[in-house]
Amino acid sequence: MKGGSGGGGGVAPAKRRWRGLAIAVLFLVVLSMLVPLGFLLGLHSGFHSAGHIPLQRPSPSGDRSSHIDNLVRKLGPTLPKISRINGKAKMKSDVDESEGFCDLKYGSYCIWREENREEMQDSMVKKLKDQLFVARAYFPSIAKIPAQSKLSGELKQNIQEVEHVLSESTTDADLPPEIQKKSRRMEAVIARAKSVSLDCNNVDKKLRQIFDLTEDEANFHMKQSAFLYQLAVQTMPKSLHCLSMRLTVEYFRDHLFDKELSEKYSDPTLQHYVIFSNNVIASSVVINSTVVHARDTVNQVFHVLTDWQNYYAMKHWFLRNTFRDAVVQVLNIEDSDSYGKATLSHLTLPVEFRVSFPSNDSAPAIHNRTQYVSIFSHSHYLLPEIFKNLEKVVVLDDDVVVQQDLSALWSLNMGGKVTGAIEICSVKMDQLQSYLGEHSFQKHSCSWMSGLNVIDLARWRDLDISETYWKLVKEVSMKEGSALLATLLSFQDQIYALDRVWVLSGLGHDYGLDIEGIKKAAVLHYNGNMKPWLDLGIPKYKEYWKKFLNHEDQYLSECNIDNELVLRLSLWILGKLRAQGAKC
């Protein structure tokens, strides 16, 4: 019994050992299948060990590049809308970056990039990158020679060390103190590698491979930068969102007396200005700059048309701020109970198109001229219904600044035309002929801009411009840039050309405007992507917009709208400290 018992006890551990070995073998088999599968799925970039050198990193121009392209396309049509039309008016969907068509593809991003480009200051970082580039090219060929195993090991070690340094440093200031020694060691080992007899074709092939990977990565980062730029210019800044939220909360908390001056709002004998906006600060600057330069403000009435989201913020802002004797009415254009059929599901602001075409037929595309054309949106065609008692209004975009008195516009004789606008004769209808299709139009007539528009509402109603527009929109709704087409055709022969001294455009995209011309213009139009309330706005033009902000407003300082307040406070404190003899 004891012997049997002892024999049984000896067999069980053996079976358990064999079972354990079988499980281990099965696990290794499964693992051997999963590892190649993981590499096939592109997961190997996450499994780099300390001893592995990723000489052939996966190209970022595949899935990531197409993903960024899709995001850029999704953001492109949103406000502000950017479209592209060449000289023959065909919408170009893509441009070969290798030919340098950055401006055609990415618009004002390329201008901003060139203006803000910084020269390479970190020479050591650049030198290390160049050394790493050459070392990676020689390493595969050296590693195949058994007699050069020692050199191969040194080359591999130096590559890993430089990669580690560059992964933690982007400037010379970030580099460790011993970097000079590492660079000299890398330079020495590269010199030894160059002295080895190698097949030049292999080294050349590897250099080309690394160069292609680098070029693909550069193209990916270019697309990513353009996407982030578009995101920055089309997204409401955090400070403006903060202001809107604070004002909305305070509107329901303070219960300010909302005095309705309906008799002024509908009095056709007064000067009525209309602003479509979802930006509290922008609309406030437009009104403030207009009032400051007006000789008489008692007859001025401003109508700010906004959406549900910003309605209460706008109401509270204009209730707590006064603009001399002018009055401000805030309307919610999405309020169907108030305006009936004269409403839209959402507010639409002036639409901007980037139009590019060659200066002449023989000029290469890289020398194409580019214009930013802003036109009326769907919301503008509700004006005759919303203001039924008015016969004439002046429409101001929320990205303009007024520098002179506009009262002369109210005595303007437009000769029966519907609207007065600044014409752009560098973009004529015949240049858009193939795009406009079979619709009849005057080939040599000029296009025109929104920004400052004098509108004869009585004439608009007589000609039923809105109905014409909606029919055209329905007809060309499937075409890209249908708003541009419908607007140009709706107002054909109905544009009174204002004198160009009234408006200077381009402050949102053109870095080369004449400063004297800016000072003399009656209205400055920041058309383009680089609006003055954005960090990406052109710095030298921002001062003309910022001086009409209420720098002492509590909400502006709390939401950090105007950084100059912080700067001024810092300078004041610094002056006090210096006056007291402090060393700063």
PDB file of all heavy atoms in Angstrom, residues 368-402:
ATOM      1  N   ASN A 368       0.379  82.594 -59.701  1.00  0.00           N
ATOM      2  CA  ASN A 368      -1.041  82.964 -59.735  1.00  0.00           C
ATOM      3  C   ASN A 368      -1.350  84.100 -58.770  1.00  0.00           C
ATOM      4  O   ASN A 368      -0.751  84.196 -57.694  1.00  0.00           O
ATOM      5  CB  ASN A 368      -1.917  81.759 -59.375  1.00  0.00           C
ATOM      6  CG  ASN A 368      -2.076  80.815 -60.545  1.00  0.00           C
ATOM      7  OD1 ASN A 368      -1.427  80.986 -61.569  1.00  0.00           O
ATOM      8  ND2 ASN A 368      -2.932  79.828 -60.410  1.00  0.00           N
ATOM      9  N   ARG A 369      -2.279  84.958 -59.181  1.00  0.00           N
ATOM     10  CA  ARG A 369      -2.764  86.000 -58.293  1.00  0.00           C
ATOM     11  C   ARG A 369      -3.893  85.441 -57.436  1.00  0.00           C
ATOM     12  O   ARG A 369      -4.679  84.620 -57.880  1.00  0.00           O
ATOM     13  CB  ARG A 369      -3.279  87.193 -59.105  1.00  0.00           C
ATOM     14  CG  ARG A 369      -2.187  87.938 -59.833  1.00  0.00           C
ATOM     15  CD  ARG A 369      -2.720  89.178 -60.546  1.00  0.00           C
ATOM     16  NE  ARG A 369      -3.621  88.829 -61.629  1.00  0.00           N
ATOM     17  CZ  ARG A 369      -4.909  89.133 -61.638  1.00  0.00           C
ATOM     18  NH1 ARG A 369      -5.474  89.741 -60.604  1.00  0.00           N
ATOM     19  NH2 ARG A 369      -5.675  88.813 -62.665  1.00  0.00           N
ATOM     20  N   THR A 370      -3.960  85.884 -56.198  1.00  0.00           N
ATOM     21  CA  THR A 370      -4.975  85.388 -55.273  1.00  0.00           C
ATOM     22  C   THR A 370      -5.770  86.549 -54.707  1.00  0.00           C
ATOM     23  O   THR A 370      -5.202  87.558 -54.286  1.00  0.00           O
ATOM     24  CB  THR A 370      -4.337  84.595 -54.117  1.00  0.00           C
ATOM     25  OG1 THR A 370      -3.624  83.472 -54.658  1.00  0.00           O
ATOM     26  CG2 THR A 370      -5.395  84.086 -53.163  1.00  0.00           C
ATOM     27  N   GLN A 371      -7.093  86.426 -54.721  1.00  0.00           N
ATOM     28  CA  GLN A 371      -7.987  87.427 -54.147  1.00  0.00           C
ATOM     29  C   GLN A 371      -8.921  86.732 -53.154  1.00  0.00           C
ATOM     30  O   GLN A 371      -9.328  85.592 -53.374  1.00  0.00           O
ATOM     31  CB  GLN A 371      -8.827  88.099 -55.243  1.00  0.00           C
ATOM     32  CG  GLN A 371      -8.040  88.942 -56.224  1.00  0.00           C
ATOM     33  CD  GLN A 371      -7.675  90.305 -55.656  1.00  0.00           C
ATOM     34  OE1 GLN A 371      -8.128  90.677 -54.574  1.00  0.00           O
ATOM     35  NE2 GLN A 371      -6.837  91.041 -56.372  1.00  0.00           N
ATOM     36  N   TYR A 372      -9.234  87.433 -52.074  1.00  0.00           N
ATOM     37  CA  TYR A 372     -10.218  86.938 -51.108  1.00  0.00           C
ATOM     38  C   TYR A 372     -11.502  87.732 -51.303  1.00  0.00           C
ATOM     39  O   TYR A 372     -11.540  88.938 -51.063  1.00  0.00           O
ATOM     40  CB  TYR A 372      -9.696  87.082 -49.687  1.00  0.00           C
ATOM     41  CG  TYR A 372      -8.671  86.045 -49.317  1.00  0.00           C
ATOM     42  CD1 TYR A 372      -7.355  86.173 -49.737  1.00  0.00           C
ATOM     43  CD2 TYR A 372      -9.011  84.917 -48.575  1.00  0.00           C
ATOM     44  CE1 TYR A 372      -6.403  85.216 -49.421  1.00  0.00           C
ATOM     45  CE2 TYR A 372      -8.069  83.962 -48.257  1.00  0.00           C
ATOM     46  CZ  TYR A 372      -6.769  84.119 -48.679  1.00  0.00           C
ATOM     47  OH  TYR A 372      -5.837  83.167 -48.370  1.00  0.00           O
ATOM     48  N   VAL A 373     -12.524  87.057 -51.781  1.00  0.00           N
ATOM     49  CA  VAL A 373     -13.795  87.700 -52.093  1.00  0.00           C
ATOM     50  C   VAL A 373     -14.819  87.294 -51.047  1.00  0.00           C
ATOM     51  O   VAL A 373     -15.102  86.109 -50.860  1.00  0.00           O
ATOM     52  CB  VAL A 373     -14.289  87.286 -53.500  1.00  0.00           C
ATOM     53  CG1 VAL A 373     -15.592  87.989 -53.823  1.00  0.00           C
ATOM     54  CG2 VAL A 373     -13.226  87.596 -54.547  1.00  0.00           C
ATOM     55  N   SER A 374     -15.376  88.266 -50.336  1.00  0.00           N
ATOM     56  CA  SER A 374     -16.427  87.992 -49.355  1.00  0.00           C
ATOM     57  C   SER A 374     -17.753  88.476 -49.918  1.00  0.00           C
ATOM     58  O   SER A 374     -17.834  89.577 -50.473  1.00  0.00           O
ATOM     59  CB  SER A 374     -16.127  88.681 -48.014  1.00  0.00           C
ATOM     60  OG  SER A 374     -16.012  90.073 -48.184  1.00  0.00           O
ATOM     61  N   ILE A 375     -18.772  87.642 -49.799  1.00  0.00           N
ATOM     62  CA  ILE A 375     -20.073  87.957 -50.373  1.00  0.00           C
ATOM     63  C   ILE A 375     -21.159  87.715 -49.333  1.00  0.00           C
ATOM     64  O   ILE A 375     -20.906  87.185 -48.244  1.00  0.00           O
ATOM     65  CB  ILE A 375     -20.350  87.112 -51.628  1.00  0.00           C
ATOM     66  CG1 ILE A 375     -20.361  85.622 -51.258  1.00  0.00           C
ATOM     67  CG2 ILE A 375     -19.327  87.393 -52.713  1.00  0.00           C
ATOM     68  CD1 ILE A 375     -20.846  84.727 -52.352  1.00  0.00           C
ATOM     69  N   PHE A 376     -22.400  88.057 -49.705  1.00  0.00           N
ATOM     70  CA  PHE A 376     -23.533  87.867 -48.817  1.00  0.00           C
ATOM     71  C   PHE A 376     -23.766  86.377 -48.547  1.00  0.00           C
ATOM     72  O   PHE A 376     -23.528  85.520 -49.394  1.00  0.00           O
ATOM     73  CB  PHE A 376     -24.802  88.456 -49.425  1.00  0.00           C
ATOM     74  CG  PHE A 376     -24.840  89.955 -49.430  1.00  0.00           C
ATOM     75  CD1 PHE A 376     -25.810  90.639 -50.154  1.00  0.00           C
ATOM     76  CD2 PHE A 376     -23.923  90.698 -48.725  1.00  0.00           C
ATOM     77  CE1 PHE A 376     -25.861  92.020 -50.162  1.00  0.00           C
ATOM     78  CE2 PHE A 376     -23.954  92.071 -48.712  1.00  0.00           C
ATOM     79  CZ  PHE A 376     -24.918  92.744 -49.447  1.00  0.00           C
ATOM     80  N   SER A 377     -24.294  86.104 -47.363  1.00  0.00           N
ATOM     81  CA  SER A 377     -24.682  84.737 -47.003  1.00  0.00           C
ATOM     82  C   SER A 377     -26.195  84.598 -47.135  1.00  0.00           C
ATOM     83  O   SER A 377     -26.896  85.559 -47.490  1.00  0.00           O
ATOM     84  CB  SER A 377     -24.262  84.438 -45.566  1.00  0.00           C
ATOM     85  OG  SER A 377     -25.027  85.226 -44.661  1.00  0.00           O
ATOM     86  N   HIS A 378     -26.716  83.428 -46.820  1.00  0.00           N
ATOM     87  CA  HIS A 378     -28.167  83.205 -46.878  1.00  0.00           C
ATOM     88  C   HIS A 378     -28.920  84.208 -45.991  1.00  0.00           C
ATOM     89  O   HIS A 378     -30.009  84.678 -46.341  1.00  0.00           O
ATOM     90  CB  HIS A 378     -28.505  81.783 -46.429  1.00  0.00           C
ATOM     91  CG  HIS A 378     -28.008  80.718 -47.357  1.00  0.00           C
ATOM     92  ND1 HIS A 378     -27.814  80.938 -48.689  1.00  0.00           N
ATOM     93  CD2 HIS A 378     -27.686  79.420 -47.130  1.00  0.00           C
ATOM     94  CE1 HIS A 378     -27.387  79.827 -49.267  1.00  0.00           C
ATOM     95  NE2 HIS A 378     -27.292  78.896 -48.343  1.00  0.00           N
ATOM     96  N   SER A 379     -28.330  84.527 -44.833  1.00  0.00           N
ATOM     97  CA  SER A 379     -29.021  85.404 -43.877  1.00  0.00           C
ATOM     98  C   SER A 379     -29.281  86.793 -44.439  1.00  0.00           C
ATOM     99  O   SER A 379     -30.271  87.452 -44.087  1.00  0.00           O
ATOM    100  CB  SER A 379     -28.208  85.512 -42.580  1.00  0.00           C
ATOM    101  OG  SER A 379     -28.089  84.262 -41.943  1.00  0.00           O
ATOM    102  N   HIS A 380     -28.412  87.264 -45.318  1.00  0.00           N
ATOM    103  CA  HIS A 380     -28.578  88.608 -45.873  1.00  0.00           C
ATOM    104  C   HIS A 380     -29.859  88.742 -46.686  1.00  0.00           C
ATOM    105  O   HIS A 380     -30.407  89.853 -46.796  1.00  0.00           O
ATOM    106  CB  HIS A 380     -27.372  88.970 -46.747  1.00  0.00           C
ATOM    107  CG  HIS A 380     -26.131  89.282 -45.980  1.00  0.00           C
ATOM    108  ND1 HIS A 380     -25.394  88.313 -45.323  1.00  0.00           N
ATOM    109  CD2 HIS A 380     -25.486  90.461 -45.747  1.00  0.00           C
ATOM    110  CE1 HIS A 380     -24.347  88.868 -44.736  1.00  0.00           C
ATOM    111  NE2 HIS A 380     -24.387  90.168 -44.976  1.00  0.00           N
ATOM    112  N   TYR A 381     -30.328  87.647 -47.237  1.00  0.00           N
ATOM    113  CA  TYR A 381     -31.504  87.716 -48.110  1.00  0.00           C
ATOM    114  C   TYR A 381     -32.819  87.743 -47.319  1.00  0.00           C
ATOM    115  O   TYR A 381     -33.891  87.697 -47.903  1.00  0.00           O
ATOM    116  CB  TYR A 381     -31.464  86.564 -49.108  1.00  0.00           C
ATOM    117  CG  TYR A 381     -30.307  86.721 -50.078  1.00  0.00           C
ATOM    118  CD1 TYR A 381     -29.060  86.188 -49.780  1.00  0.00           C
ATOM    119  CD2 TYR A 381     -30.462  87.456 -51.233  1.00  0.00           C
ATOM    120  CE1 TYR A 381     -27.990  86.373 -50.639  1.00  0.00           C
ATOM    121  CE2 TYR A 381     -29.399  87.647 -52.105  1.00  0.00           C
ATOM    122  CZ  TYR A 381     -28.163  87.106 -51.803  1.00  0.00           C
ATOM    123  OH  TYR A 381     -27.097  87.300 -52.646  1.00  0.00           O
ATOM    124  N   LEU A 382     -32.700  87.830 -45.990  1.00  0.00           N
ATOM    125  CA  LEU A 382     -33.880  88.001 -45.153  1.00  0.00           C
ATOM    126  C   LEU A 382     -34.106  89.464 -44.771  1.00  0.00           C
ATOM    127  O   LEU A 382     -35.100  89.798 -44.115  1.00  0.00           O
ATOM    128  CB  LEU A 382     -33.742  87.171 -43.873  1.00  0.00           C
ATOM    129  CG  LEU A 382     -33.489  85.672 -44.047  1.00  0.00           C
ATOM    130  CD1 LEU A 382     -33.354  85.011 -42.678  1.00  0.00           C
ATOM    131  CD2 LEU A 382     -34.608  85.014 -44.834  1.00  0.00           C
ATOM    132  N   LEU A 383     -33.189  90.339 -45.155  1.00  0.00           N
ATOM    133  CA  LEU A 383     -33.261  91.741 -44.746  1.00  0.00           C
ATOM    134  C   LEU A 383     -34.586  92.416 -45.105  1.00  0.00           C
ATOM    135  O   LEU A 383     -35.173  93.109 -44.262  1.00  0.00           O
ATOM    136  CB  LEU A 383     -32.081  92.521 -45.356  1.00  0.00           C
ATOM    137  CG  LEU A 383     -30.712  92.243 -44.737  1.00  0.00           C
ATOM    138  CD1 LEU A 383     -29.621  92.938 -45.540  1.00  0.00           C
ATOM    139  CD2 LEU A 383     -30.677  92.711 -43.286  1.00  0.00           C
ATOM    140  N   PRO A 384     -35.122  92.267 -46.333  1.00  0.00           N
ATOM    141  CA  PRO A 384     -36.389  92.957 -46.650  1.00  0.00           C
ATOM    142  C   PRO A 384     -37.553  92.506 -45.789  1.00  0.00           C
ATOM    143  O   PRO A 384     -38.472  93.292 -45.530  1.00  0.00           O
ATOM    144  CB  PRO A 384     -36.621  92.584 -48.127  1.00  0.00           C
ATOM    145  CG  PRO A 384     -35.275  92.224 -48.648  1.00  0.00           C
ATOM    146  CD  PRO A 384     -34.573  91.578 -47.509  1.00  0.00           C
ATOM    147  N   GLU A 385     -37.519  91.242 -45.308  1.00  0.00           N
ATOM    148  CA  GLU A 385     -38.603  90.732 -44.473  1.00  0.00           C
ATOM    149  C   GLU A 385     -38.436  91.147 -43.019  1.00  0.00           C
ATOM    150  O   GLU A 385     -39.402  91.484 -42.338  1.00  0.00           O
ATOM    151  CB  GLU A 385     -38.656  89.204 -44.571  1.00  0.00           C
ATOM    152  CG  GLU A 385     -39.123  88.679 -45.913  1.00  0.00           C
ATOM    153  CD  GLU A 385     -40.580  89.027 -46.187  1.00  0.00           C
ATOM    154  OE1 GLU A 385     -41.370  89.000 -45.225  1.00  0.00           O
ATOM    155  OE2 GLU A 385     -40.915  89.362 -47.333  1.00  0.00           O
ATOM    156  N   ILE A 386     -37.217  91.132 -42.538  1.00  0.00           N
ATOM    157  CA  ILE A 386     -36.985  91.486 -41.128  1.00  0.00           C
ATOM    158  C   ILE A 386     -37.221  92.972 -40.894  1.00  0.00           C
ATOM    159  O   ILE A 386     -37.816  93.373 -39.888  1.00  0.00           O
ATOM    160  CB  ILE A 386     -35.554  91.092 -40.714  1.00  0.00           C
ATOM    161  CG1 ILE A 386     -35.376  89.566 -40.770  1.00  0.00           C
ATOM    162  CG2 ILE A 386     -35.233  91.602 -39.317  1.00  0.00           C
ATOM    163  CD1 ILE A 386     -33.977  89.097 -40.469  1.00  0.00           C
ATOM    164  N   PHE A 387     -36.797  93.812 -41.828  1.00  0.00           N
ATOM    165  CA  PHE A 387     -36.946  95.263 -41.684  1.00  0.00           C
ATOM    166  C   PHE A 387     -37.974  95.766 -42.699  1.00  0.00           C
ATOM    167  O   PHE A 387     -37.642  96.482 -43.653  1.00  0.00           O
ATOM    168  CB  PHE A 387     -35.590  95.949 -41.875  1.00  0.00           C
ATOM    169  CG  PHE A 387     -34.540  95.478 -40.922  1.00  0.00           C
ATOM    170  CD1 PHE A 387     -33.532  94.620 -41.345  1.00  0.00           C
ATOM    171  CD2 PHE A 387     -34.564  95.858 -39.593  1.00  0.00           C
ATOM    172  CE1 PHE A 387     -32.553  94.179 -40.473  1.00  0.00           C
ATOM    173  CE2 PHE A 387     -33.594  95.416 -38.704  1.00  0.00           C
ATOM    174  CZ  PHE A 387     -32.590  94.570 -39.135  1.00  0.00           C
ATOM    175  N   LYS A 388     -39.207  95.396 -42.460  1.00  0.00           N
ATOM    176  CA  LYS A 388     -40.279  95.705 -43.415  1.00  0.00           C
ATOM    177  C   LYS A 388     -40.569  97.195 -43.509  1.00  0.00           C
ATOM    178  O   LYS A 388     -41.050  97.673 -44.533  1.00  0.00           O
ATOM    179  CB  LYS A 388     -41.551  94.954 -43.019  1.00  0.00           C
ATOM    180  CG  LYS A 388     -41.429  93.445 -43.138  1.00  0.00           C
ATOM    181  CD  LYS A 388     -42.718  92.756 -42.744  1.00  0.00           C
ATOM    182  CE  LYS A 388     -42.590  91.247 -42.888  1.00  0.00           C
ATOM    183  NZ  LYS A 388     -43.845  90.534 -42.512  1.00  0.00           N
ATOM    184  N   ASN A 389     -40.312  97.945 -42.435  1.00  0.00           N
ATOM    185  CA  ASN A 389     -40.630  99.373 -42.429  1.00  0.00           C
ATOM    186  C   ASN A 389     -39.479 100.244 -42.930  1.00  0.00           C
ATOM    187  O   ASN A 389     -39.644 101.467 -43.045  1.00  0.00           O
ATOM    188  CB  ASN A 389     -41.014  99.826 -41.025  1.00  0.00           C
ATOM    189  CG  ASN A 389     -42.277  99.149 -40.532  1.00  0.00           C
ATOM    190  OD1 ASN A 389     -43.180  98.851 -41.320  1.00  0.00           O
ATOM    191  ND2 ASN A 389     -42.354  98.889 -39.237  1.00  0.00           N
ATOM    192  N   LEU A 390     -38.331  99.647 -43.189  1.00  0.00           N
ATOM    193  CA  LEU A 390     -37.165 100.428 -43.598  1.00  0.00           C
ATOM    194  C   LEU A 390     -36.997 100.390 -45.111  1.00  0.00           C
ATOM    195  O   LEU A 390     -37.342  99.405 -45.775  1.00  0.00           O
ATOM    196  CB  LEU A 390     -35.895  99.883 -42.923  1.00  0.00           C
ATOM    197  CG  LEU A 390     -35.915  99.837 -41.389  1.00  0.00           C
ATOM    198  CD1 LEU A 390     -34.568  99.359 -40.867  1.00  0.00           C
ATOM    199  CD2 LEU A 390     -36.279 101.200 -40.809  1.00  0.00           C
ATOM    200  N   GLU A 391     -36.428 101.469 -45.626  1.00  0.00           N
ATOM    201  CA  GLU A 391     -36.207 101.566 -47.067  1.00  0.00           C
ATOM    202  C   GLU A 391     -34.728 101.536 -47.435  1.00  0.00           C
ATOM    203  O   GLU A 391     -34.373 101.254 -48.580  1.00  0.00           O
ATOM    204  CB  GLU A 391     -36.839 102.853 -47.609  1.00  0.00           C
ATOM    205  CG  GLU A 391     -38.355 102.896 -47.448  1.00  0.00           C
ATOM    206  CD  GLU A 391     -38.955 104.168 -48.012  1.00  0.00           C
ATOM    207  OE1 GLU A 391     -38.175 105.048 -48.448  1.00  0.00           O
ATOM    208  OE2 GLU A 391     -40.194 104.289 -48.027  1.00  0.00           O
ATOM    209  N   LYS A 392     -33.865 101.821 -46.452  1.00  0.00           N
ATOM    210  CA  LYS A 392     -32.437 101.864 -46.748  1.00  0.00           C
ATOM    211  C   LYS A 392     -31.640 101.487 -45.503  1.00  0.00           C
ATOM    212  O   LYS A 392     -31.961 101.951 -44.399  1.00  0.00           O
ATOM    213  CB  LYS A 392     -32.028 103.265 -47.217  1.00  0.00           C
ATOM    214  CG  LYS A 392     -30.618 103.375 -47.766  1.00  0.00           C
ATOM    215  CD  LYS A 392     -30.376 104.767 -48.326  1.00  0.00           C
ATOM    216  CE  LYS A 392     -29.037 104.877 -49.007  1.00  0.00           C
ATOM    217  NZ  LYS A 392     -28.802 106.237 -49.576  1.00  0.00           N
ATOM    218  N   VAL A 393     -30.642 100.642 -45.666  1.00  0.00           N
ATOM    219  CA  VAL A 393     -29.771 100.249 -44.555  1.00  0.00           C
ATOM    220  C   VAL A 393     -28.339 100.188 -45.071  1.00  0.00           C
ATOM    221  O   VAL A 393     -28.094 100.036 -46.273  1.00  0.00           O
ATOM    222  CB  VAL A 393     -30.161  98.879 -43.948  1.00  0.00           C
ATOM    223  CG1 VAL A 393     -31.542  98.924 -43.315  1.00  0.00           C
ATOM    224  CG2 VAL A 393     -30.068  97.773 -44.985  1.00  0.00           C
ATOM    225  N   VAL A 394     -27.405 100.293 -44.141  1.00  0.00           N
ATOM    226  CA  VAL A 394     -25.990 100.058 -44.443  1.00  0.00           C
ATOM    227  C   VAL A 394     -25.571  98.802 -43.691  1.00  0.00           C
ATOM    228  O   VAL A 394     -25.727  98.732 -42.467  1.00  0.00           O
ATOM    229  CB  VAL A 394     -25.112 101.255 -44.020  1.00  0.00           C
ATOM    230  CG1 VAL A 394     -23.634 100.899 -44.138  1.00  0.00           C
ATOM    231  CG2 VAL A 394     -25.432 102.470 -44.869  1.00  0.00           C
ATOM    232  N   VAL A 395     -25.089  97.820 -44.425  1.00  0.00           N
ATOM    233  CA  VAL A 395     -24.680  96.547 -43.827  1.00  0.00           C
ATOM    234  C   VAL A 395     -23.171  96.566 -43.629  1.00  0.00           C
ATOM    235  O   VAL A 395     -22.408  96.822 -44.574  1.00  0.00           O
ATOM    236  CB  VAL A 395     -25.092  95.351 -44.713  1.00  0.00           C
ATOM    237  CG1 VAL A 395     -24.611  94.045 -44.092  1.00  0.00           C
ATOM    238  CG2 VAL A 395     -26.609  95.326 -44.895  1.00  0.00           C
ATOM    239  N   LEU A 396     -22.738  96.302 -42.411  1.00  0.00           N
ATOM    240  CA  LEU A 396     -21.317  96.241 -42.071  1.00  0.00           C
ATOM    241  C   LEU A 396     -20.967  94.829 -41.614  1.00  0.00           C
ATOM    242  O   LEU A 396     -21.652  94.279 -40.753  1.00  0.00           O
ATOM    243  CB  LEU A 396     -20.988  97.238 -40.957  1.00  0.00           C
ATOM    244  CG  LEU A 396     -21.237  98.725 -41.258  1.00  0.00           C
ATOM    245  CD1 LEU A 396     -21.068  99.546 -39.974  1.00  0.00           C
ATOM    246  CD2 LEU A 396     -20.305  99.222 -42.343  1.00  0.00           C
ATOM    247  N   ASP A 397     -19.930  94.244 -42.192  1.00  0.00           N
ATOM    248  CA  ASP A 397     -19.448  92.957 -41.700  1.00  0.00           C
ATOM    249  C   ASP A 397     -18.805  93.164 -40.336  1.00  0.00           C
ATOM    250  O   ASP A 397     -18.340  94.264 -40.009  1.00  0.00           O
ATOM    251  CB  ASP A 397     -18.425  92.358 -42.669  1.00  0.00           C
ATOM    252  CG  ASP A 397     -19.070  91.852 -43.946  1.00  0.00           C
ATOM    253  OD1 ASP A 397     -20.310  91.945 -44.044  1.00  0.00           O
ATOM    254  OD2 ASP A 397     -18.341  91.389 -44.843  1.00  0.00           O
ATOM    255  N   ASP A 398     -18.759  92.105 -39.532  1.00  0.00           N
ATOM    256  CA  ASP A 398     -18.205  92.261 -38.184  1.00  0.00           C
ATOM    257  C   ASP A 398     -16.677  92.248 -38.159  1.00  0.00           C
ATOM    258  O   ASP A 398     -16.072  92.328 -37.084  1.00  0.00           O
ATOM    259  CB  ASP A 398     -18.768  91.197 -37.235  1.00  0.00           C
ATOM    260  CG  ASP A 398     -18.326  89.789 -37.590  1.00  0.00           C
ATOM    261  OD1 ASP A 398     -17.659  89.608 -38.632  1.00  0.00           O
ATOM    262  OD2 ASP A 398     -18.659  88.850 -36.831  1.00  0.00           O
ATOM    263  N   ASP A 399     -16.039  92.151 -39.339  1.00  0.00           N
ATOM    264  CA  ASP A 399     -14.576  92.214 -39.384  1.00  0.00           C
ATOM    265  C   ASP A 399     -14.095  93.517 -40.027  1.00  0.00           C
ATOM    266  O   ASP A 399     -13.064  93.548 -40.697  1.00  0.00           O
ATOM    267  CB  ASP A 399     -14.002  91.009 -40.141  1.00  0.00           C
ATOM    268  CG  ASP A 399     -14.523  90.893 -41.566  1.00  0.00           C
ATOM    269  OD1 ASP A 399     -15.440  91.652 -41.917  1.00  0.00           O
ATOM    270  OD2 ASP A 399     -14.017  90.040 -42.327  1.00  0.00           O
ATOM    271  N   VAL A 400     -14.868  94.602 -39.796  1.00  0.00           N
ATOM    272  CA  VAL A 400     -14.452  95.910 -40.307  1.00  0.00           C
ATOM    273  C   VAL A 400     -14.229  96.869 -39.143  1.00  0.00           C
ATOM    274  O   VAL A 400     -14.743  96.669 -38.037  1.00  0.00           O
ATOM    275  CB  VAL A 400     -15.504  96.514 -41.287  1.00  0.00           C
ATOM    276  CG1 VAL A 400     -15.779  95.564 -42.432  1.00  0.00           C
ATOM    277  CG2 VAL A 400     -16.791  96.903 -40.562  1.00  0.00           C
ATOM    278  N   VAL A 401     -13.461  97.902 -39.417  1.00  0.00           N
ATOM    279  CA  VAL A 401     -13.243  99.001 -38.484  1.00  0.00           C
ATOM    280  C   VAL A 401     -13.496 100.300 -39.246  1.00  0.00           C
ATOM    281  O   VAL A 401     -12.961 100.499 -40.339  1.00  0.00           O
ATOM    282  CB  VAL A 401     -11.806  98.993 -37.922  1.00  0.00           C
ATOM    283  CG1 VAL A 401     -11.512 100.298 -37.186  1.00  0.00           C
ATOM    284  CG2 VAL A 401     -11.607  97.824 -36.989  1.00  0.00           C
ATOM    285  N   VAL A 402     -14.335 101.168 -38.684  1.00  0.00           N
ATOM    286  CA  VAL A 402     -14.684 102.438 -39.317  1.00  0.00           C
ATOM    287  C   VAL A 402     -13.737 103.516 -38.808  1.00  0.00           C
ATOM    288  O   VAL A 402     -13.516 103.642 -37.596  1.00  0.00           O
ATOM    289  CB  VAL A 402     -16.145 102.815 -39.018  1.00  0.00           C
ATOM    290  CG1 VAL A 402     -16.493 104.163 -39.646  1.00  0.00           C
ATOM    291  CG2 VAL A 402     -17.086 101.730 -39.543  1.00  0.00           C
TER     292      VAL A 402
END
